[in-house]
Amino acid sequence: AALGEGAEVEVFVRPEAIRLDAAEGLPGVVEGVLFNGASSRVLVRAAGELIEVDDPQQGTGRRDAGKAVRLGWEPGAARAFAAGA
């Protein structure tokens, strides 16, 4: 069903589609890093949720716990669903 204007929604974005340190975006704080070979899973607390972000290790440096970051993604990467559905 289509969501009407003003509807309460939950937004989902795949971890690999989220960028750390976006110029503008959702502010958060790194809580930890799970190392996994060529990439890491960065755990970020933002908007009251723990959000997982895939971070390819391409010379970006280590993400230390407590570091402030901004999460961003392309608009087409987000999916909205009715809250509580």
Short mmCIF file of all heavy atoms in Angstrom, two decimals, residues 2-80:
data_model
loop_
_atom_site.label_atom_id
_atom_site.label_comp_id
_atom_site.label_asym_id
_atom_site.label_seq_id
_atom_site.Cartn_x
_atom_site.Cartn_y
_atom_site.Cartn_z
N ALA A 2 0.42 2.26 -0.63
CA ALA A 2 1.16 3.52 -0.71
C ALA A 2 1.14 4.20 0.65
O ALA A 2 0.17 4.13 1.39
CB ALA A 2 0.55 4.42 -1.76
N LEU A 3 2.23 4.86 0.96
CA LEU A 3 2.32 5.62 2.20
C LEU A 3 1.83 7.04 1.94
O LEU A 3 2.25 7.67 0.98
CB LEU A 3 3.76 5.66 2.70
CG LEU A 3 4.37 4.30 3.06
CD1 LEU A 3 5.85 4.44 3.32
CD2 LEU A 3 3.67 3.72 4.27
N GLY A 4 0.97 7.54 2.79
CA GLY A 4 0.46 8.89 2.63
C GLY A 4 1.40 9.92 3.24
O GLY A 4 2.26 9.60 4.06
N GLU A 5 1.25 11.16 2.83
CA GLU A 5 2.06 12.24 3.37
C GLU A 5 1.86 12.31 4.88
O GLU A 5 0.74 12.23 5.39
CB GLU A 5 1.66 13.57 2.73
CG GLU A 5 2.54 14.72 3.17
CD GLU A 5 2.21 16.01 2.44
OE1 GLU A 5 1.67 15.94 1.32
OE2 GLU A 5 2.50 17.06 3.01
N GLY A 6 2.96 12.44 5.61
CA GLY A 6 2.91 12.52 7.06
C GLY A 6 2.85 11.19 7.76
O GLY A 6 2.82 11.13 8.99
N ALA A 7 2.85 10.08 7.00
CA ALA A 7 2.80 8.74 7.61
C ALA A 7 4.09 8.45 8.37
O ALA A 7 5.17 8.85 7.95
CB ALA A 7 2.59 7.68 6.53
N GLU A 8 3.98 7.76 9.48
CA GLU A 8 5.15 7.35 10.23
C GLU A 8 5.76 6.14 9.55
O GLU A 8 5.05 5.17 9.23
CB GLU A 8 4.77 7.01 11.66
CG GLU A 8 5.96 6.77 12.55
CD GLU A 8 5.57 6.61 14.01
OE1 GLU A 8 4.57 7.19 14.44
OE2 GLU A 8 6.31 5.90 14.71
N VAL A 9 7.08 6.19 9.29
CA VAL A 9 7.75 5.13 8.55
C VAL A 9 9.01 4.68 9.27
O VAL A 9 9.53 5.38 10.13
CB VAL A 9 8.11 5.57 7.12
CG1 VAL A 9 6.88 5.95 6.32
CG2 VAL A 9 9.11 6.71 7.13
N GLU A 10 9.49 3.52 8.87
CA GLU A 10 10.81 3.03 9.23
C GLU A 10 11.60 2.96 7.94
O GLU A 10 11.09 2.51 6.91
CB GLU A 10 10.72 1.66 9.89
CG GLU A 10 10.04 1.70 11.24
CD GLU A 10 9.93 0.34 11.91
OE1 GLU A 10 10.36 -0.67 11.31
OE2 GLU A 10 9.42 0.30 13.02
N VAL A 11 12.85 3.44 7.98
CA VAL A 11 13.69 3.49 6.79
C VAL A 11 14.80 2.46 6.93
O VAL A 11 15.46 2.38 7.96
CB VAL A 11 14.28 4.90 6.59
CG1 VAL A 11 15.23 4.93 5.41
CG2 VAL A 11 13.16 5.92 6.41
N PHE A 12 15.01 1.69 5.88
CA PHE A 12 16.05 0.67 5.85
C PHE A 12 17.02 0.96 4.72
O PHE A 12 16.61 1.29 3.61
CB PHE A 12 15.44 -0.72 5.66
CG PHE A 12 14.59 -1.15 6.82
CD1 PHE A 12 13.26 -0.81 6.88
CD2 PHE A 12 15.15 -1.87 7.87
CE1 PHE A 12 12.47 -1.19 7.96
CE2 PHE A 12 14.38 -2.25 8.95
CZ PHE A 12 13.03 -1.91 9.00
N VAL A 13 18.33 0.84 5.02
CA VAL A 13 19.39 1.01 4.03
C VAL A 13 20.39 -0.12 4.26
O VAL A 13 20.80 -0.37 5.40
CB VAL A 13 20.11 2.38 4.19
CG1 VAL A 13 21.18 2.54 3.13
CG2 VAL A 13 19.11 3.53 4.14
N ARG A 14 20.77 -0.80 3.21
CA ARG A 14 21.72 -1.91 3.34
C ARG A 14 23.07 -1.38 3.83
O ARG A 14 23.49 -0.29 3.45
CB ARG A 14 21.89 -2.63 2.01
CG ARG A 14 20.59 -3.32 1.56
CD ARG A 14 20.79 -4.18 0.33
NE ARG A 14 21.78 -5.22 0.51
CZ ARG A 14 21.55 -6.40 1.12
NH1 ARG A 14 20.37 -6.67 1.61
NH2 ARG A 14 22.50 -7.29 1.22
N PRO A 15 23.77 -2.15 4.70
CA PRO A 15 25.03 -1.68 5.26
C PRO A 15 26.07 -1.26 4.23
O PRO A 15 26.81 -0.31 4.44
CB PRO A 15 25.53 -2.90 6.06
CG PRO A 15 24.29 -3.64 6.41
CD PRO A 15 23.36 -3.45 5.23
N GLU A 16 26.09 -1.93 3.08
CA GLU A 16 27.09 -1.59 2.06
C GLU A 16 26.75 -0.31 1.30
O GLU A 16 27.59 0.24 0.60
CB GLU A 16 27.29 -2.75 1.08
CG GLU A 16 26.07 -3.13 0.28
CD GLU A 16 25.16 -4.15 0.96
OE1 GLU A 16 25.29 -4.42 2.17
OE2 GLU A 16 24.29 -4.67 0.26
N ALA A 17 25.52 0.18 1.44
CA ALA A 17 25.11 1.42 0.75
C ALA A 17 25.33 2.66 1.59
O ALA A 17 25.22 3.78 1.09
CB ALA A 17 23.64 1.33 0.35
N ILE A 18 25.69 2.49 2.87
CA ILE A 18 25.87 3.63 3.77
C ILE A 18 27.33 4.09 3.72
O ILE A 18 28.25 3.28 3.73
CB ILE A 18 25.49 3.25 5.21
CG1 ILE A 18 24.04 2.79 5.26
CG2 ILE A 18 25.71 4.44 6.15
CD1 ILE A 18 23.62 2.22 6.61
N ARG A 19 27.52 5.41 3.67
CA ARG A 19 28.86 6.00 3.68
C ARG A 19 29.11 6.64 5.05
O ARG A 19 28.24 7.31 5.59
CB ARG A 19 28.99 7.09 2.61
CG ARG A 19 28.86 6.60 1.19
CD ARG A 19 29.07 7.73 0.19
NE ARG A 19 28.44 8.99 0.56
CZ ARG A 19 27.17 9.32 0.31
NH1 ARG A 19 26.37 8.47 -0.29
NH2 ARG A 19 26.70 10.50 0.65
N LEU A 20 30.30 6.43 5.56
CA LEU A 20 30.72 7.13 6.77
C LEU A 20 31.29 8.48 6.37
O LEU A 20 31.83 8.64 5.28
CB LEU A 20 31.81 6.34 7.50
CG LEU A 20 31.35 5.04 8.15
CD1 LEU A 20 32.56 4.22 8.57
CD2 LEU A 20 30.47 5.32 9.36
N ASP A 21 31.20 9.44 7.24
CA ASP A 21 31.78 10.77 7.02
C ASP A 21 31.19 11.48 5.81
O ASP A 21 31.90 12.13 5.05
CB ASP A 21 33.31 10.69 6.90
CG ASP A 21 33.96 10.16 8.17
OD1 ASP A 21 33.43 10.44 9.26
OD2 ASP A 21 34.98 9.47 8.07
N ALA A 22 29.89 11.36 5.62
CA ALA A 22 29.21 12.12 4.57
C ALA A 22 29.25 13.60 4.93
O ALA A 22 29.29 13.96 6.11
CB ALA A 22 27.76 11.65 4.43
N ALA A 23 29.27 14.47 3.93
CA ALA A 23 29.28 15.92 4.19
C ALA A 23 28.04 16.34 4.96
O ALA A 23 28.10 17.16 5.87
CB ALA A 23 29.38 16.68 2.87
N GLU A 24 26.91 15.79 4.58
CA GLU A 24 25.66 16.02 5.29
C GLU A 24 25.04 14.66 5.53
O GLU A 24 25.19 13.76 4.73
CB GLU A 24 24.70 16.87 4.46
CG GLU A 24 25.18 18.28 4.20
CD GLU A 24 24.17 19.07 3.39
OE1 GLU A 24 23.02 18.63 3.26
OE2 GLU A 24 24.56 20.12 2.89
N GLY A 25 24.34 14.51 6.61
CA GLY A 25 23.71 13.22 6.86
C GLY A 25 23.36 13.05 8.30
O GLY A 25 23.39 13.98 9.11
N LEU A 26 23.05 11.83 8.65
CA LEU A 26 22.61 11.47 9.98
C LEU A 26 23.81 11.43 10.93
O LEU A 26 24.74 10.65 10.72
CB LEU A 26 21.93 10.10 9.92
CG LEU A 26 21.32 9.55 11.18
CD1 LEU A 26 20.15 10.44 11.63
CD2 LEU A 26 20.83 8.14 10.93
N PRO A 27 23.84 12.27 11.97
CA PRO A 27 24.98 12.25 12.89
C PRO A 27 24.94 11.01 13.78
O PRO A 27 23.87 10.55 14.18
CB PRO A 27 24.80 13.53 13.72
CG PRO A 27 23.36 13.86 13.63
CD PRO A 27 22.87 13.30 12.32
N GLY A 28 26.12 10.47 14.07
CA GLY A 28 26.22 9.30 14.92
C GLY A 28 27.58 9.22 15.57
O GLY A 28 28.46 10.04 15.31
N VAL A 29 27.76 8.20 16.40
CA VAL A 29 29.02 7.96 17.09
C VAL A 29 29.39 6.49 16.93
O VAL A 29 28.55 5.60 17.14
CB VAL A 29 28.89 8.30 18.60
CG1 VAL A 29 30.17 7.96 19.34
CG2 VAL A 29 28.54 9.77 18.78
N VAL A 30 30.64 6.23 16.56
CA VAL A 30 31.12 4.87 16.40
C VAL A 30 31.15 4.19 17.77
O VAL A 30 31.69 4.73 18.73
CB VAL A 30 32.54 4.85 15.78
CG1 VAL A 30 33.11 3.43 15.75
CG2 VAL A 30 32.52 5.44 14.38
N GLU A 31 30.54 3.00 17.84
CA GLU A 31 30.56 2.21 19.08
C GLU A 31 31.56 1.07 19.00
O GLU A 31 32.03 0.60 20.02
CB GLU A 31 29.17 1.67 19.40
CG GLU A 31 28.24 2.73 19.91
CD GLU A 31 27.08 2.15 20.71
OE1 GLU A 31 26.96 0.92 20.84
OE2 GLU A 31 26.30 2.97 21.21
N GLY A 32 31.88 0.61 17.80
CA GLY A 32 32.83 -0.48 17.67
C GLY A 32 33.04 -0.86 16.23
O GLY A 32 32.35 -0.37 15.33
N VAL A 33 34.02 -1.72 16.02
CA VAL A 33 34.36 -2.19 14.68
C VAL A 33 34.55 -3.70 14.73
O VAL A 33 35.22 -4.22 15.62
CB VAL A 33 35.65 -1.53 14.15
CG1 VAL A 33 35.99 -2.05 12.76
CG2 VAL A 33 35.54 -0.02 14.15
N LEU A 34 33.92 -4.40 13.79
CA LEU A 34 34.11 -5.84 13.63
C LEU A 34 34.95 -6.05 12.38
O LEU A 34 34.52 -5.75 11.28
CB LEU A 34 32.75 -6.54 13.48
CG LEU A 34 31.73 -6.26 14.59
CD1 LEU A 34 30.38 -6.85 14.22
CD2 LEU A 34 32.21 -6.80 15.91
N PHE A 35 36.18 -6.52 12.54
CA PHE A 35 37.08 -6.70 11.41
C PHE A 35 36.75 -8.00 10.68
O PHE A 35 36.52 -9.02 11.31
CB PHE A 35 38.54 -6.68 11.87
CG PHE A 35 38.93 -5.35 12.43
CD1 PHE A 35 38.95 -5.15 13.79
CD2 PHE A 35 39.24 -4.30 11.59
CE1 PHE A 35 39.29 -3.92 14.32
CE2 PHE A 35 39.58 -3.06 12.11
CZ PHE A 35 39.61 -2.88 13.48
N ASN A 36 36.73 -7.92 9.32
CA ASN A 36 36.34 -9.06 8.52
C ASN A 36 37.09 -9.03 7.20
O ASN A 36 36.51 -8.73 6.17
CB ASN A 36 34.82 -9.05 8.29
CG ASN A 36 34.34 -10.29 7.58
OD1 ASN A 36 35.02 -11.29 7.56
ND2 ASN A 36 33.17 -10.21 6.96
N GLY A 37 38.38 -9.31 7.24
CA GLY A 37 39.15 -9.38 6.00
C GLY A 37 39.28 -8.04 5.30
O GLY A 37 39.77 -7.08 5.85
N ALA A 38 38.80 -7.99 4.04
CA ALA A 38 38.97 -6.80 3.21
C ALA A 38 38.07 -5.65 3.60
O ALA A 38 38.24 -4.54 3.13
CB ALA A 38 38.74 -7.15 1.75
N SER A 39 37.08 -5.90 4.45
CA SER A 39 36.21 -4.82 4.89
C SER A 39 35.93 -4.99 6.37
O SER A 39 36.24 -6.01 6.96
CB SER A 39 34.90 -4.80 4.10
OG SER A 39 34.14 -5.95 4.40
N SER A 40 35.37 -3.97 6.95
CA SER A 40 35.00 -4.01 8.36
C SER A 40 33.54 -3.65 8.49
O SER A 40 32.97 -2.97 7.64
CB SER A 40 35.82 -3.00 9.17
OG SER A 40 37.19 -3.33 9.11
N ARG A 41 32.92 -4.10 9.56
CA ARG A 41 31.56 -3.71 9.88
C ARG A 41 31.68 -2.71 11.03
O ARG A 41 32.16 -3.06 12.11
CB ARG A 41 30.74 -4.94 10.27
CG ARG A 41 29.31 -4.74 10.63
CD ARG A 41 28.36 -4.38 9.49
NE ARG A 41 28.35 -5.16 8.31
CZ ARG A 41 27.39 -6.00 7.92
NH1 ARG A 41 26.34 -6.18 8.66
NH2 ARG A 41 27.46 -6.62 6.78
N VAL A 42 31.31 -1.46 10.77
CA VAL A 42 31.39 -0.41 11.78
C VAL A 42 30.01 -0.27 12.42
O VAL A 42 29.00 -0.18 11.73
CB VAL A 42 31.83 0.93 11.15
CG1 VAL A 42 31.93 2.02 12.21
CG2 VAL A 42 33.15 0.77 10.41
N LEU A 43 29.98 -0.29 13.75
CA LEU A 43 28.73 -0.16 14.50
C LEU A 43 28.60 1.29 14.95
O LEU A 43 29.46 1.80 15.68
CB LEU A 43 28.74 -1.10 15.70
CG LEU A 43 29.03 -2.57 15.37
CD1 LEU A 43 29.12 -3.39 16.64
CD2 LEU A 43 27.99 -3.12 14.43
N VAL A 44 27.54 1.95 14.48
CA VAL A 44 27.34 3.37 14.76
C VAL A 44 26.02 3.58 15.48
O VAL A 44 24.98 3.05 15.04
CB VAL A 44 27.35 4.19 13.43
CG1 VAL A 44 27.08 5.66 13.70
CG2 VAL A 44 28.66 4.00 12.69
N ARG A 45 26.04 4.32 16.57
CA ARG A 45 24.81 4.68 17.28
C ARG A 45 24.33 6.00 16.69
O ARG A 45 25.02 7.01 16.75
CB ARG A 45 25.10 4.83 18.78
CG ARG A 45 23.92 5.25 19.60
CD ARG A 45 22.89 4.20 19.85
NE ARG A 45 23.43 2.98 20.42
CZ ARG A 45 22.72 1.87 20.55
NH1 ARG A 45 21.47 1.81 20.19
NH2 ARG A 45 23.27 0.78 21.06
N ALA A 46 23.13 5.97 16.09
CA ALA A 46 22.55 7.17 15.47
C ALA A 46 21.04 7.08 15.58
O ALA A 46 20.46 6.00 15.41
CB ALA A 46 22.97 7.28 14.00
N ALA A 47 20.40 8.18 15.87
CA ALA A 47 18.94 8.25 15.98
C ALA A 47 18.39 7.19 16.94
O ALA A 47 17.34 6.62 16.70
CB ALA A 47 18.29 8.13 14.60
N GLY A 48 19.16 6.90 17.99
CA GLY A 48 18.70 5.94 18.98
C GLY A 48 18.81 4.48 18.56
O GLY A 48 18.34 3.60 19.26
N GLU A 49 19.43 4.22 17.42
CA GLU A 49 19.56 2.85 16.90
C GLU A 49 21.03 2.51 16.70
O GLU A 49 21.86 3.39 16.48
CB GLU A 49 18.86 2.73 15.54
CG GLU A 49 17.38 3.04 15.57
CD GLU A 49 16.56 1.95 16.24
OE1 GLU A 49 16.99 0.77 16.21
OE2 GLU A 49 15.51 2.28 16.79
N LEU A 50 21.35 1.22 16.74
CA LEU A 50 22.68 0.76 16.39
C LEU A 50 22.65 0.37 14.92
O LEU A 50 21.92 -0.54 14.52
CB LEU A 50 23.09 -0.44 17.25
CG LEU A 50 24.54 -0.86 17.12
CD1 LEU A 50 25.47 0.28 17.52
CD2 LEU A 50 24.81 -2.09 17.96
N ILE A 51 23.40 1.10 14.11
CA ILE A 51 23.39 0.92 12.66
C ILE A 51 24.71 0.30 12.22
O ILE A 51 25.78 0.74 12.64
CB ILE A 51 23.19 2.29 11.97
CG1 ILE A 51 21.84 2.88 12.40
CG2 ILE A 51 23.30 2.15 10.45
CD1 ILE A 51 21.61 4.31 11.95
N GLU A 52 24.62 -0.75 11.39
CA GLU A 52 25.80 -1.42 10.87
C GLU A 52 26.15 -0.86 9.51
O GLU A 52 25.29 -0.72 8.64
CB GLU A 52 25.56 -2.92 10.77
CG GLU A 52 25.30 -3.57 12.11
CD GLU A 52 25.15 -5.08 12.02
OE1 GLU A 52 25.51 -5.67 10.98
OE2 GLU A 52 24.69 -5.66 13.01
N VAL A 53 27.45 -0.54 9.34
CA VAL A 53 27.94 0.06 8.10
C VAL A 53 29.12 -0.77 7.61
O VAL A 53 30.06 -1.02 8.36
CB VAL A 53 28.40 1.52 8.32
CG1 VAL A 53 28.92 2.13 7.03
CG2 VAL A 53 27.28 2.36 8.91
N ASP A 54 29.07 -1.22 6.35
CA ASP A 54 30.23 -1.89 5.75
C ASP A 54 31.23 -0.82 5.35
O ASP A 54 30.88 0.16 4.69
CB ASP A 54 29.83 -2.69 4.51
CG ASP A 54 29.22 -4.04 4.86
OD1 ASP A 54 29.30 -4.43 6.04
OD2 ASP A 54 28.66 -4.68 3.97
N ASP A 55 32.49 -1.00 5.76
CA ASP A 55 33.53 -0.01 5.48
C ASP A 55 34.71 -0.71 4.82
O ASP A 55 35.52 -1.33 5.50
CB ASP A 55 33.96 0.65 6.78
CG ASP A 55 34.94 1.79 6.57
OD1 ASP A 55 34.87 2.46 5.52
OD2 ASP A 55 35.77 2.02 7.47
N PRO A 56 34.78 -0.67 3.47
CA PRO A 56 35.92 -1.29 2.79
C PRO A 56 37.22 -0.65 3.28
O PRO A 56 37.29 0.56 3.42
CB PRO A 56 35.70 -0.98 1.32
CG PRO A 56 34.31 -0.49 1.21
CD PRO A 56 33.90 0.02 2.55
N GLN A 57 38.20 -1.48 3.56
CA GLN A 57 39.48 -0.95 4.03
C GLN A 57 40.31 -0.52 2.84
O GLN A 57 41.10 -1.27 2.30
CB GLN A 57 40.20 -2.01 4.87
CG GLN A 57 39.43 -2.32 6.13
CD GLN A 57 40.12 -3.39 6.96
OE1 GLN A 57 41.19 -3.86 6.63
NE2 GLN A 57 39.49 -3.77 8.05
N GLN A 58 40.11 0.74 2.45
CA GLN A 58 40.81 1.30 1.29
C GLN A 58 41.63 2.50 1.75
O GLN A 58 41.55 3.58 1.18
CB GLN A 58 39.82 1.71 0.21
CG GLN A 58 39.01 0.54 -0.31
CD GLN A 58 37.95 0.96 -1.30
OE1 GLN A 58 37.71 2.14 -1.51
NE2 GLN A 58 37.33 0.01 -1.92
N GLY A 59 42.40 2.33 2.81
CA GLY A 59 43.22 3.41 3.30
C GLY A 59 42.45 4.47 4.06
O GLY A 59 42.94 5.55 4.29
N THR A 60 41.20 4.17 4.46
CA THR A 60 40.40 5.16 5.17
C THR A 60 40.80 5.27 6.63
O THR A 60 40.38 6.18 7.31
CB THR A 60 38.89 4.82 5.08
OG1 THR A 60 38.70 3.52 5.63
CG2 THR A 60 38.40 4.88 3.67
N GLY A 61 41.62 4.35 7.11
CA GLY A 61 42.04 4.39 8.51
C GLY A 61 41.04 3.69 9.40
O GLY A 61 39.92 3.39 9.02
N ARG A 62 41.47 3.45 10.60
CA ARG A 62 40.64 2.74 11.56
C ARG A 62 39.58 3.67 12.14
O ARG A 62 39.82 4.85 12.33
CB ARG A 62 41.53 2.20 12.66
CG ARG A 62 40.82 1.33 13.61
CD ARG A 62 41.77 0.70 14.56
NE ARG A 62 40.94 0.02 15.55
CZ ARG A 62 41.42 -0.58 16.60
NH1 ARG A 62 42.70 -0.59 16.80
NH2 ARG A 62 40.63 -1.16 17.44
N ARG A 63 38.40 3.13 12.41
CA ARG A 63 37.30 3.87 13.02
C ARG A 63 37.31 3.61 14.51
O ARG A 63 36.97 2.52 14.94
CB ARG A 63 35.96 3.43 12.41
CG ARG A 63 35.92 3.47 10.91
CD ARG A 63 36.02 4.88 10.42
NE ARG A 63 35.84 4.89 8.97
CZ ARG A 63 35.84 5.97 8.25
NH1 ARG A 63 35.99 7.15 8.81
NH2 ARG A 63 35.68 5.92 6.95
N ASP A 64 37.71 4.59 15.28
CA ASP A 64 37.82 4.40 16.72
C ASP A 64 36.49 4.63 17.42
O ASP A 64 35.73 5.53 17.04
CB ASP A 64 38.87 5.36 17.30
CG ASP A 64 40.28 5.03 16.82
OD1 ASP A 64 40.58 3.84 16.66
OD2 ASP A 64 41.06 5.98 16.60
N ALA A 65 36.24 3.84 18.47
CA ALA A 65 35.04 4.02 19.27
C ALA A 65 35.02 5.44 19.84
O ALA A 65 36.05 5.98 20.22
CB ALA A 65 35.01 3.00 20.40
N GLY A 66 33.85 6.04 19.82
CA GLY A 66 33.69 7.41 20.30
C GLY A 66 33.82 8.47 19.23
O GLY A 66 33.52 9.63 19.47
N LYS A 67 34.27 8.08 18.02
CA LYS A 67 34.44 9.05 16.94
C LYS A 67 33.08 9.47 16.39
O LYS A 67 32.22 8.66 16.11
CB LYS A 67 35.26 8.43 15.81
CG LYS A 67 35.45 9.39 14.64
CD LYS A 67 36.26 8.78 13.53
CE LYS A 67 36.36 9.78 12.39
NZ LYS A 67 36.98 9.24 11.23
N ALA A 68 32.89 10.78 16.23
CA ALA A 68 31.66 11.31 15.63
C ALA A 68 31.74 11.14 14.12
O ALA A 68 32.78 11.40 13.51
CB ALA A 68 31.49 12.78 16.00
N VAL A 69 30.66 10.67 13.52
CA VAL A 69 30.59 10.48 12.07
C VAL A 69 29.24 10.97 11.57
O VAL A 69 28.33 11.24 12.35
CB VAL A 69 30.77 8.99 11.67
CG1 VAL A 69 32.16 8.50 12.02
CG2 VAL A 69 29.72 8.11 12.33
N ARG A 70 29.12 11.11 10.27
CA ARG A 70 27.83 11.40 9.63
C ARG A 70 27.59 10.30 8.61
O ARG A 70 28.46 9.98 7.80
CB ARG A 70 27.85 12.75 8.94
CG ARG A 70 27.79 13.90 9.91
CD ARG A 70 27.33 15.18 9.21
NE ARG A 70 27.10 16.22 10.17
CZ ARG A 70 25.93 16.45 10.77
NH1 ARG A 70 24.90 15.69 10.48
NH2 ARG A 70 25.80 17.41 11.64
N LEU A 71 26.41 9.71 8.67
CA LEU A 71 26.04 8.63 7.76
C LEU A 71 25.26 9.19 6.59
O LEU A 71 24.35 10.01 6.77
CB LEU A 71 25.18 7.60 8.50
CG LEU A 71 25.79 7.00 9.76
CD1 LEU A 71 24.82 6.03 10.39
CD2 LEU A 71 27.11 6.33 9.46
N GLY A 72 25.59 8.76 5.39
CA GLY A 72 24.88 9.21 4.20
C GLY A 72 24.69 8.07 3.23
O GLY A 72 25.38 7.04 3.30
N TRP A 73 23.72 8.23 2.34
CA TRP A 73 23.45 7.24 1.31
C TRP A 73 22.71 7.91 0.18
O TRP A 73 22.13 8.98 0.32
CB TRP A 73 22.64 6.06 1.86
CG TRP A 73 21.39 6.47 2.56
CD1 TRP A 73 20.16 6.70 2.00
CD2 TRP A 73 21.23 6.74 3.95
NE1 TRP A 73 19.25 7.08 2.96
CE2 TRP A 73 19.90 7.12 4.16
CE3 TRP A 73 22.10 6.69 5.05
CZ2 TRP A 73 19.41 7.45 5.44
CZ3 TRP A 73 21.61 7.02 6.29
CH2 TRP A 73 20.28 7.38 6.47
N GLU A 74 22.75 7.28 -0.98
CA GLU A 74 22.02 7.79 -2.13
C GLU A 74 20.52 7.63 -1.87
O GLU A 74 20.11 6.62 -1.29
CB GLU A 74 22.41 7.04 -3.40
CG GLU A 74 23.85 7.25 -3.80
CD GLU A 74 24.17 8.69 -4.14
OE1 GLU A 74 23.31 9.37 -4.76
OE2 GLU A 74 25.26 9.15 -3.76
N PRO A 75 19.70 8.58 -2.29
CA PRO A 75 18.26 8.49 -2.03
C PRO A 75 17.63 7.17 -2.49
O PRO A 75 16.78 6.63 -1.79
CB PRO A 75 17.68 9.68 -2.80
CG PRO A 75 18.79 10.66 -2.88
CD PRO A 75 20.05 9.82 -2.99
N GLY A 76 18.05 6.65 -3.60
CA GLY A 76 17.47 5.40 -4.11
C GLY A 76 17.84 4.18 -3.30
O GLY A 76 17.27 3.11 -3.48
N ALA A 77 18.81 4.31 -2.38
CA ALA A 77 19.25 3.17 -1.57
C ALA A 77 18.34 2.93 -0.37
O ALA A 77 18.39 1.88 0.25
CB ALA A 77 20.68 3.38 -1.10
N ALA A 78 17.51 3.91 -0.02
CA ALA A 78 16.65 3.78 1.16
C ALA A 78 15.29 3.20 0.77
O ALA A 78 14.75 3.50 -0.29
CB ALA A 78 16.46 5.16 1.80
N ARG A 79 14.76 2.39 1.67
CA ARG A 79 13.42 1.82 1.50
C ARG A 79 12.62 2.18 2.73
O ARG A 79 13.07 1.99 3.86
CB ARG A 79 13.47 0.30 1.36
CG ARG A 79 14.26 -0.19 0.17
CD ARG A 79 13.51 0.08 -1.13
NE ARG A 79 14.25 -0.36 -2.27
CZ ARG A 79 14.92 0.44 -3.10
NH1 ARG A 79 14.95 1.74 -2.87
NH2 ARG A 79 15.56 -0.03 -4.15
N ALA A 80 11.42 2.71 2.53
CA ALA A 80 10.54 3.10 3.65
C ALA A 80 9.37 2.15 3.73
O ALA A 80 8.78 1.77 2.72
CB ALA A 80 10.05 4.53 3.45
#
